[in-house]
Amino acid sequence: MKFEIEYTGVSEDRLLIYRTEEHSFDMEPWVYELDFEIAINTLTLTFVDGKIIQLNGFCGLSKRMKSNYEVPKSQKGILKVLDDLKSGVGSYSINKEDLPVYVNTQSGWVCIGNPEKKGNAVEFINNCVAVIDDDKEFVSLWLKPDRLPDI
């Protein structure tokens, strides 16, 4: 799956929440409209009108995931999917196998994917950063919820 970044200086204005009792990410306010969803592990990213606007889903966090990785520098903008995916089909997966998850409890950022691989970073939703490499492939997703669970 190929992605494109458009730097606009603004990102989707939503609050990223981690629901400790459900071990999941969620957003407020929630938009009930969607063209299709893209899955990363057990998270889904909602695609509407040519861009990704929200995400949610299960992501259990544990002590074994602790790391010191830092979120890459990013600019605000839009994350687009270049592939011709059909609306109403449901969900498309980015990865065949689960990607690793890393948690920096000091900074509050969670990384899903490869935290060391470089690419272009875009904050497409408040506190949600995607890194896309020069081949337009997904590298990592960085999330900073309102609070992390105690791990």
Side-chain angles (χ1 to χ4, degrees):
M1 187 173 300
K2 302 285 187 179
F3 293 88
E4 181 178 66
I5 294 172
E6 182 182 328
Y7 293 112
T8 62
V10 295
S11 59
E12 288 290 322
D13 188 19
R14 300 204 196 310
L15 175 64
L16 180 64
I17 299 166
Y18 188 81
R19 298 190 189 282
T20 304
E21 65 284 352
E22 297 174 4
H23 308 285
S24 66
F25 286 100
D26 201 358
M27 305 221 98
E28 289 181 0
W30 185 256
V31 174
Y32 291 93
E33 172 184 357
L34 70 100
D35 293 336
F36 58 83
E37 293 179 319
I38 297 169
I40 300 173
N41 291 359
T42 52
L43 290 178
T44 55
L45 287 73
T46 304
F47 184 89
V48 177
D49 294 334
K51 62 184 179 177
I52 296 172
I53 64 159
Q54 65 192 6
L55 63 87
N56 76 321
F58 177 80
C59 186
L61 303 176
S62 68
K63 288 181 183 175
R64 65 179 172 78
M65 297 174 177
K66 280 188 175 183
S67 76
N68 293 322
Y69 292 117
E70 293 291 328
V71 64
K73 298 230 180 289
S74 64
Q75 295 178 40
K76 292 180 181 279
I78 298 170
L79 181 59
K80 299 177 178 184
V81 178
L82 291 178
D83 298 45
D84 187 23
L85 304 178
K86 304 295 181 215
S87 294
V89 170
S91 182
Y92 296 90
S93 184
I94 287 180
N95 49 305
K96 291 182 170 93
E97 296 179 12
D98 278 354
L99 299 173
V101 178
Y102 304 93
V103 181
N104 184 325
T105 56
Q106 297 298 316
S107 68
W109 284 94
V110 175
C111 174
I112 301 168
N114 187 340
E116 297 177 325
K117 189 171 180 186
K118 302 297 181 211
N120 299 305
V122 61
E123 185 177 4
F124 61 102
I125 302 169
N126 291 345
N127 294 318
C128 301
V129 174
V131 178
I132 307 300
D133 68 16
D134 290 338
D135 294 324
K136 300 185 184 295
E137 300 282 341
F138 173 83
V139 172
S140 58
L141 177 65
W142 294 80
L143 306 172
K144 186 175 183 182
D146 60 337
R147 62 179 161 63
L148 287 174
D150 294 327
I151 56 171

